Amino acid sequence: MQIARRTSDIRPFHVMEILARAQALEREGRDVVHMEVGEPDFPTPPWVVEAALAAIQGGGVKYTPAAGLPELREAIAAYYGQRYGVRVEPRRVFVTPGASGGFLLALGLSVEPGAGVALADPGYPCYANFVRLFDGVPHLVPVDAADRFHLSWERVSHYWGGGMRGVVVASPANPTGTLIEPGVLRELIGFVQERGGFVVSDEIYHGLEYGAASPTALEFSDEVCVVNSFSKYFGMTGWRVGWVVVPEGLVAAAERLAQNIFISTAMPSQVAALAAFAEENIRELERRRGLFRERRDFLWAGLQELGFGIPARPEGAFYIYADCGPFSRDSQDFARSLLEETGVALTPGLDFGKHRPEGFVRLCYTAPLARLAEGLARIGGFVRGGPGG
Amino acid sequence: MQIARRTSDIRPFHVMEILARAQALEREGRDVVHMEVGEPDFPTPPWVVEAALAAIQGGGVKYTPAAGLPELREAIAAYYGQRYGVRVEPRRVFVTPGASGGFLLALGLSVEPGAGVALADPGYPCYANFVRLFDGVPHLVPVDAADRFHLSWERVSHYWGGGMRGVVVASPANPTGTLIEPGVLRELIGFVQERGGFVVSDEIYHGLEYGAASPTALEFSDEVCVVNSFSKYFGMTGWRVGWVVVPEGLVAAAERLAQNIFISTAMPSQVAALAAFAEENIRELERRRGLFRERRDFLWAGLQELGFGIPARPEGAFYIYADCGPFSRDSQDFARSLLEETGVALTPGLDFGKHRPEGFVRLCYTAPLARLAEGLARIGGFVRGGPGG
């Protein structure tokens, strides 16, 4: 069988190579500090577990409506009112198999073959691959610390024209953890919409901010697709439940698409997600957010002390994008050597785009403080030991 | 926001209208016999439930590898050896969010924009919509009772050329419940492969056969994609776990695509699926298969007694595609009137293609025998009451 061309444009993640090597080292008995995987280390909270157990017992696990359990759609819609003061009709909310399913819907609804889509570089690599899946053309727009690593209308305007049809924005951002300024987001949405383009806003790290909270793109326009998930703030990765809010005019099309490409999202996971909005659960999540903030502060200070550059303050998610230029001219080489010599796993910049990836590595603070301290000590020994890489 | 053209080609299912009206009647206090929904009525078996409960307790619900839990991939691969005597390497098995996810992978890997894909008409409507999702062109090939409602190389050859690049075959078939003959399947695969085309075989109703069992397309070629699921024979609809077996040459591309578009399938659902292969569970599923066979026999005989035509013996799945021509010239009208007057819900042929849909309705035997008897009695009263529709 021949492979569709789109697929050969989709590259594997380099972090997978790092992860596989880290696991091989562990099988050999080495202790590995994992700072490469963007998965919170906390278990699913007990109230959420209880709700899922109750739903499963007796075996009544059936298809739900394609757009999700009505009570879950209502809870998500209500969350926009509570958290952002934004009115969202439940009919605009589609529950999906993870945020991944949300991107399938949002970009399947938006991307024509050949259409250009602007993406921040560095950025989350899957955006470009979702665009390729629908035979669109990802345009990687270089962003820097001066932009807080975010798109802006000025940046995008240099690339607009020539078939450009939309943008994906993401704040807090992966890999940098930086937040887009509300005014910058508002102007970017305005710029794109004036040109008839589409906006998809990835808000999966909302709730994991350590200073000011992020605004939702829905505060500035109803004519955007907003993707979110229960994986990060709600800490429910393995359950695979996300959602997308679509403009009113896309509701019918989203419904048809969801019926065809999902049928529905796993029912136990949806019931679990509904329980995640309970007050006592939100208290626990806020406690965890406090722990993430401590880790961020610790790692941020410690890396700078060792001589890493962190050009834009990471204010959300659980990532630090650190300039390893003082120690190596090749971040992939740096990451490999660090893993072999010290057993610390992190992700080379190459996974996040083409704009100076050789200068950066991403570190996740999804491990307890003691493990981060151990990792930092090993990194310190490594970079002080010589030129590295 | 504008909608991508592909989406406007995706039509809603007429059964949704029937289902919505049936639920409205129920809210008014009417008793409705549901013969419109293709979802088994049995609960998840207790062993499967127990496995899921154990996996959830403690909250360690995390991402799995993108291709699925290794032990589940191994169990699925082993199942091909036990059931079909076919050797499948676990690395060729990808666990997906339902069979829907399997079609996303298989067709995302295969369908170039503009590529023609041959589909049986009548057939499952989602195939055409998956093809449209990837900007391919579905070619509906009319099939009849003489073909047992299946594609054959002769049928397909009339349509080959002009950009035709592949076929989707499905046996047991929806909506007809008919099985493709092994020789016909083998020759069809040969015909398409000689012309460099791709074959996707939908085997989600395998295991639900009431005479001879279906062969898997993998018995005739390793160079096909085979989609299957835990929803039908294993009765696990709401868990949303399926799989796809891909040719060795597509493994790396499937891995990259799965990493990007799923991240992984819900972990509790995967653990539940693994338990579904236990011997005691298979015994229970075989008991259920016996019940489905009884229902098939009952409904098949009863409908013919009433004067419906059933031109090809339904030998699998849980569907009967009945010719309602003796009672109505418009099956959609027939379905609507039947529901309003008698409270029996079934699906008009229009959902399954363009080849004589006005002459047929689909009935599901996913309800207990007593309910099917009640439904049949009401249908009898309706068709004897006058010209109907």
Side-chain angles (χ1 to χ4, degrees):
Chain A
M1 272 177 81
Q2 292 188 331
I3 305 182
R5 271 184 300 273
R6 71 172 66 82
T7 319
S8 49
D9 292 336
I10 295 178
R11 280 169 236 103
F13 303 135
H14 295 86
V15 69
M16 293 297 171
E17 185 203 321
I18 294 281
L19 181 61
R21 182 62 191 146
Q23 289 168 341
L25 290 176
E26 283 175 325
R27 281 193 298 272
E28 291 170 17
R30 291 274 296 274
D31 173 69
V32 173
V33 181
H34 289 280
M35 301 171 82
E36 81 281 37
V37 181
E39 179 168 37
D41 51 321
F42 303 109
T44 309
W47 313 280
V48 175
V49 168
E50 286 304 321
L53 294 177
I56 292 172
Q57 263 149 10
V61 179
K62 297 288 176 182
Y63 291 133
T64 73
L69 290 170
E71 52 273 41
L72 179 56
R73 300 174 78 188
E74 281 162 24
I76 293 168
Y79 186 65
Y80 281 92
Q82 294 149 22
R83 181 175 174 86
Y84 305 101
V86 168
R87 184 187 171 86
V88 170
E89 297 293 330
R91 53 186 268 107
R92 290 173 56 201
V93 176
F94 288 77
V95 178
T96 54
S100 306
F103 285 111
L104 280 174
L105 276 191
L107 294 171
L109 288 167
S110 308
V111 177
E112 302 279 7
V117 181
L119 306 170
D121 179 355
Y124 178 56
C126 294
Y127 304 139
N129 291 332
F130 277 112
V131 170
R132 291 186 185 108
L133 184 70
F134 297 114
D135 300 293
V137 182
H139 288 258
L140 300 183
V141 177
V143 291
D144 278 305
D147 313 301
R148 305 197 55 69
F149 291 105
H150 279 285
L151 296 177
S152 62
W153 78 264
E154 293 96 331
R155 284 276 179 189
V156 168
S157 68
H158 297 305
Y159 292 78
W160 205 265
M164 192 76 89
R165 295 290 303 133
V167 298
V168 178
V169 291
S171 172
N174 178 4
T176 58
T178 55
L179 270 60
I180 194 169
E181 284 178 29
V184 173
L185 178 58
R186 191 185 61 241
E187 287 173 12
L188 175 62
I189 292 172
F191 174 88
V192 173
Q193 291 186 337
E194 277 164 27
R195 282 151 189 80
F198 67 84
V199 176
V200 174
S201 179
D202 177 357
E203 304 185 352
I204 66 168
Y205 294 104
H206 273 220
L208 289 179
E209 297 112 343
Y210 311 116
S214 300
T216 172
L218 294 166
E219 291 176 37
F220 306 121
S221 171
D222 280 326
E223 296 297 310
V224 297
C225 287
V226 168
V227 175
N228 206 327
S229 154
F230 289 92
S231 293
K232 309 299 183 179
Y233 174 65
F234 294 96
M236 292 175 60
T237 52
W239 299 86
R240 313 299 301 122
V241 202
W243 74 83
V244 56
V245 180
V246 306
E248 181 63 36
L250 264 62
V251 165
E255 174 85 33
R256 295 196 304 268
L257 205 52
Q259 282 174 9
N260 277 280
I261 70 175
F262 304 136
I263 300 189
S264 63
T265 298
M267 187 271 236
S269 298
Q270 291 193 60
V271 173
L274 182 58
F277 289 113
E279 224 174 279
E280 57 193 338
N281 191 50
I282 299 288
R283 269 199 301 277
E284 167 62 12
L285 300 180
E286 287 297 307
R287 188 187 70 81
R288 294 179 180 187
R289 185 166 69 95
L291 297 176
F292 277 125
R293 187 198 289 113
E294 276 177 36
R295 297 173 182 181
R296 191 273 316 256
D297 292 345
F298 172 79
L299 200 59
W300 187 44
L303 286 168
Q304 291 183 104
E305 215 164 283
L306 289 178
F308 286 88
I310 305 179
R313 183 183 163 94
E315 294 175 312
F318 30 61
Y319 305 118
I320 293 182
Y321 202 51
D323 183 343
C324 59
F327 314 113
S328 169
R329 275 178 301 188
D330 177 350
S331 60
Q332 190 165 21
D333 197 39
F334 180 83
R336 280 185 190 140
S337 302
L338 181 73
L339 177 59
E340 294 300 328
E341 293 183 28
T342 74
V344 173
L346 37 72
T347 309
L350 216 52
D351 266 352
F352 306 105
K354 297 174 175 171
H355 179 50
R356 299 194 52 223
E358 68 288 351
F360 286 87
V361 289
R362 186 191 76 175
L363 299 95
C364 305
Y365 42 95
T366 47
L369 211 48
R371 291 298 286 169
L372 298 180
E374 172 65 25
L376 201 58
R378 295 188 198 177
I379 295 172
F382 179 76
V383 299
R384 278 193 298 257
Chain B
M1 272 177 78
Q2 293 189 330
I3 304 182
R5 271 184 300 272
R6 71 173 66 83
T7 319
S8 50
D9 292 335
I10 295 177
R11 280 168 236 104
F13 303 135
H14 295 86
V15 68
M16 293 298 170
E17 185 203 321
I18 294 281
L19 181 61
R21 183 61 189 147
Q23 290 168 339
L25 290 175
E26 284 175 325
R27 281 192 298 271
E28 290 169 18
R30 290 275 295 277
D31 173 69
V32 173
V33 181
H34 289 280
M35 301 171 83
E36 81 280 38
V37 181
E39 180 168 36
D41 51 322
F42 302 109
T44 308
W47 313 280
V48 176
V49 168
E50 286 304 321
L53 294 176
I56 293 172
Q57 264 151 8
V61 179
K62 298 289 177 180
Y63 291 133
T64 73
L69 289 171
E71 53 272 42
L72 180 55
R73 300 174 77 189
E74 282 161 25
I76 293 168
Y79 186 65
Y80 280 92
Q82 294 149 21
R83 184 176 172 84
Y84 305 101
V86 168
R87 183 188 171 86
V88 171
E89 296 293 329
R91 53 185 268 109
R92 290 172 57 200
V93 177
F94 288 77
V95 178
T96 54
S100 306
F103 286 112
L104 280 174
L105 276 191
L107 295 171
L109 287 167
S110 309
V111 178
E112 303 278 7
V117 182
L119 307 170
D121 179 356
Y124 178 56
C126 294
Y127 304 139
N129 291 332
F130 277 111
V131 171
R132 290 186 185 106
L133 184 70
F134 297 114
D135 301 293
V137 182
H139 289 258
L140 299 183
V141 177
V143 290
D144 278 307
D147 313 301
R148 306 197 55 70
F149 292 105
H150 280 284
L151 296 177
S152 62
W153 79 264
E154 292 95 332
R155 285 275 178 191
V156 168
S157 68
H158 297 306
Y159 292 79
W160 205 265
M164 191 76 88
R165 296 290 302 134
V167 298
V168 178
V169 292
S171 172
N174 178 5
T176 58
T178 54
L179 270 59
I180 194 169
E181 284 177 31
V184 173
L185 178 57
R186 191 186 59 238
E187 287 172 12
L188 176 61
I189 292 171
F191 174 88
V192 174
Q193 291 186 336
E194 277 163 27
R195 281 150 190 81
F198 67 83
V199 176
V200 174
S201 179
D202 177 357
E203 304 184 352
I204 67 168
Y205 294 105
H206 274 219
L208 290 178
E209 297 112 343
Y210 311 117
S214 299
T216 171
L218 293 167
E219 291 176 38
F220 307 122
S221 171
D222 281 325
E223 296 296 310
V224 297
C225 286
V226 167
V227 175
N228 205 328
S229 154
F230 290 92
S231 293
K232 309 299 182 179
Y233 173 64
F234 295 96
M236 293 176 59
T237 52
W239 298 86
R240 311 301 300 120
V241 203
W243 74 83
V244 56
V245 180
V246 305
E248 181 64 36
L250 264 63
V251 165
E255 174 85 35
R256 295 195 304 268
L257 204 54
Q259 283 174 8
N260 276 280
I261 70 176
F262 304 135
I263 301 189
S264 64
T265 298
M267 187 272 239
S269 299
Q270 290 193 60
V271 173
L274 181 58
F277 289 114
E279 222 173 282
E280 58 192 337
N281 191 50
I282 298 289
R283 270 199 300 277
E284 166 63 12
L285 300 180
E286 285 299 306
R287 189 188 68 83
R288 294 179 181 186
R289 184 167 70 95
L291 297 176
F292 276 126
R293 187 198 291 115
E294 275 177 39
R295 297 173 183 180
R296 190 274 316 256
D297 292 345
F298 172 79
L299 199 59
W300 187 43
L303 286 168
Q304 289 182 102
E305 213 164 285
L306 290 177
F308 286 88
I310 305 179
R313 183 183 163 94
E315 295 174 312
F318 29 62
Y319 305 118
I320 293 181
Y321 201 52
D323 183 343
C324 58
F327 314 113
S328 169
R329 272 179 302 186
D330 177 350
S331 60
Q332 191 166 23
D333 198 40
F334 179 84
R336 281 186 190 137
S337 302
L338 181 72
L339 176 59
E340 294 300 327
E341 292 182 30
T342 74
V344 173
L346 38 73
T347 309
L350 216 52
D351 267 351
F352 307 105
K354 297 174 175 171
H355 180 52
R356 301 194 50 225
E358 68 288 350
F360 287 86
V361 289
R362 187 192 74 176
L363 299 96
C364 305
Y365 40 97
T366 46
L369 211 49
R371 290 299 284 169
L372 297 180
E374 171 67 25
L376 201 58
R378 294 189 198 175
I379 295 171
F382 179 76
V383 299
R384 279 192 296 258

